[in-house]
Amino acid sequence: MEHNTIQEKKKNIYALLGILYAGVQYLWTYFLSSYFKRIGTLPRITSPIGFIPAFFFNLVIAIPMIIVFIGTVIRYRREFDDKMMYIKTDRYLLTLILTMIYALMLPLSTRLDLNPRRGAFAWIYYLVFISFFEEFLYRGLVPTLMDRSSFPSWIRAVIPALVYGIYQSALPLAQYGLSLSTLTSILPDIIWSTIFHFALMGMKKWTGAMWLPIIVHAIIDLSIYFIF
């Protein structure tokens, strides 16, 4: 009985560490964005106007996620086995179809954009730097650690959604500053992202893998890029 209690406490600590890491990632993104704004390069490196600047910025943003991803795979693979589900593949037809659609968006992106290189970068950017790493953290690591905890079920479901929704405010707050007008303008994005989390989590649980939410996330983001 005492052993089970210790195990539950250990899992709760893992869950809290996952939330803490998401907070660190938020602050990392915010302060890096603030720094690049202060030196006058933020508008250039946050939009795909050139391959190298945007690649550098988003690689730096993703560095903590990359480190944690490698660390969890190496250290906790034995403990969590396949239940982490953020690198597991699946064989569902829908994932295959959506993957093909996303692949076809590469020539489309180079045709729709005035600069073909920028269109090609947007295709890579939304799959790798946005979709993969966000899904790894917000649909992979944090929800899995929460699910293994002994917290109430509603907390296990709501906290990862709120963490993901709030993360969307990091760049706008760094770019435009903390003000009522900024908070009002980004509130719909926070709400939408919080709701979107549940849809992506449903896809993950339905397929038992991460590839479907990764591809859907990338398709939606790239489609928004085409429109706006």
Side-chain angles (χ1 to χ4, degrees), residues 73-89:
V73 171
I74 293 175
R75 184 175 180 183
Y76 301 123
R77 187 66 173 168
R78 182 181 301 175
E79 179 177 348
F80 289 107
D81 195 36
D82 288 332
K83 294 180 181 179
M84 291 303 285
M85 292 192 299
Y86 50 66
I87 57 174
K88 180 182 174 184
T89 59

Side-chain angles (χ1 to χ4, degrees), residues 58-71:
N58 291 289
L59 178 62
V60 174
I61 290 293
I63 281 176
M65 292 189 188
I66 295 171
I67 294 173
V68 172
F69 176 78
I70 295 174

Side-chain angles (χ1 to χ4, degrees), residues 106-121:
L106 172 59
L108 181 62
S109 64
T110 59
R111 297 282 293 182
L112 293 179
D113 203 292
L114 296 177
N115 185 338
R117 184 179 67 173
R118 183 170 64 182
F121 175 76

Side-chain angles (χ1 to χ4, degrees), residues 85-157:
M85 292 192 299
Y86 50 66
I87 57 174
K88 180 182 174 184
T89 59
D90 64 81
R91 301 177 181 177
Y92 281 90
L93 180 61
L94 179 58
T95 303
L96 176 61
I97 293 173
L98 289 174
T99 304
M100 292 174 62
I101 291 173
Y102 186 77
L104 292 173
M105 294 177 86
L106 172 59
L108 181 62
S109 64
T110 59
R111 297 282 293 182
L112 293 179
D113 203 292
L114 296 177
N115 185 338
R117 184 179 67 173
R118 183 170 64 182
F121 175 76
W123 182 82
I124 299 171
Y125 165 76
Y126 286 117
L127 180 65
V128 179
F129 292 109
I130 299 296
S131 180
F132 178 83
F133 284 111
E134 285 193 3
E135 292 305 308
F136 149 68
L137 177 59
Y138 296 107
R139 255 66 64 186
L141 184 66
V142 174
T144 299
L145 294 177
M146 289 296 294
D147 285 343
R148 291 173 62 85
S149 71
S150 60
F151 296 126
S153 58
W154 70 270
I155 291 181
R156 298 200 301 265

